[in-house]
Amino acid sequence: MKLTSEEAINKLITKSANKFEHEIYLIRRGRLEYVHHNNNSIQFKSSVPPKQTTGKDVNEAKHWYRCMSQNDFLHLKRRDVLLGGDSYGGIATNFDYASSYFSDTNSHIVEFETITDAPLLYHTFLGLNTGKGTPAGPKGEGDGGTFGLGKTGYLGGKAGDKFNELLERTQITWRLVACKLPLPA
């Protein structure tokens, strides 16, 4: 028997409240809205749409998006910094590109916002390059560009360290804009 959307949400809330406490908090307050479900997962989106759904050039972007795993999201929620990793760990200037990585494994999309109107991240990241020659720029993908925050990302992880420093100093804020949660058996 196929569950209705209300039954699926109630099942998630009653059987997974401890595992997804932040997400359920947002669901109960109407900040996350039901999108759809199947036998394996239930998807939600923010009641406040993402600020940038299409590409914006990195030298103008104030909003950035990252698709991440449940564990990465829990780390961000608990510590207000991103979990370091060996991968590229990119942030993109638009929700649509980040959502192309949305899956059961990469189940959360977060919107980051710089508190200044200026393109803080672009100039900050370029300023990290203390080597000689032309500084490396963002990766030319995602209809605007991306910066990798992981060890194989921009400047071998220096951008990720700086990003976390800005998060800790609240010069960057974040919010959950989409998630795909496993539906309990």
Side-chain angles (χ1 to χ4, degrees):
M1 180 171 101
K2 185 161 170 81
L3 298 174
T4 66
S5 58
E6 187 176 316
E7 290 169 334
I9 292 168
N10 286 336
K11 185 175 184 179
L12 175 74
I13 289 172
T14 57
K15 293 193 174 189
S16 301
N18 292 335
K19 187 172 182 180
F20 303 113
E21 66 182 67
H22 183 74
E23 296 91 328
I24 289 172
Y25 171 85
L26 295 174
I27 292 165
R28 286 183 169 155
R29 277 148 190 83
R31 295 182 191 160
L32 283 179
E33 300 174 339
Y34 170 86
V35 175
H36 70 83
H37 72 280
N38 57 32
N39 291 335
N40 301 319
S41 63
I42 183 168
Q43 185 175 335
F44 296 92
K45 67 177 181 175
S46 174
S47 58
V48 176
K51 300 278 192 319
Q52 288 169 191
T53 54
T54 59
K56 185 164 191 138
D57 196 76
V58 291
N59 63 356
E60 299 173 359
K62 181 178 174 169
H63 299 91
W64 296 80
Y65 298 87
R66 181 173 182 162
C67 193
M68 61 182 68
S69 70
Q70 170 71 19
N71 286 340
D72 289 345
F73 177 74
L74 282 173
H75 190 277
L76 174 64
K77 182 184 121 346
R78 290 180 181 145
R79 298 203 172 99
D80 271 332
V81 294
L82 294 172
L83 186 61
D86 293 331
S87 68
Y88 180 73
I91 54 173
T93 63
N94 69 83
F95 173 81
D96 289 349
Y97 181 74
S99 66
S100 70
Y101 290 91
F102 202 39
S103 67
D104 289 339
T105 306
N106 289 318
S107 56
H108 290 67
I109 303 176
V110 173
E111 177 182 79
F112 297 97
E113 180 176 0
T114 59
I115 62 165
T116 62
D117 286 330
L120 174 69
L121 292 181
Y122 176 75
H123 293 295
T124 299
F125 290 164
L126 290 183
L128 293 173
N129 189 342
T130 56
K132 297 185 185 219
T134 306
K139 199 171 181 181
E141 62 184 6
D143 191 26
T146 66
F147 278 106
L149 303 180
K151 289 190 179 16
T152 62
Y154 189 69
L155 298 174
K158 285 183 184 178
D161 294 341
K162 186 56 141 178
F163 191 87
N164 278 338
E165 178 186 317
L166 294 170
L167 276 168
E168 287 177 321
R169 294 188 349 217
T170 64
Q171 291 188 308
I172 299 174
T173 60
W174 64 269
R175 70 183 180 104
L176 182 64
V177 292
C179 63
K180 187 182 290 188
L181 306 176
L183 196 56

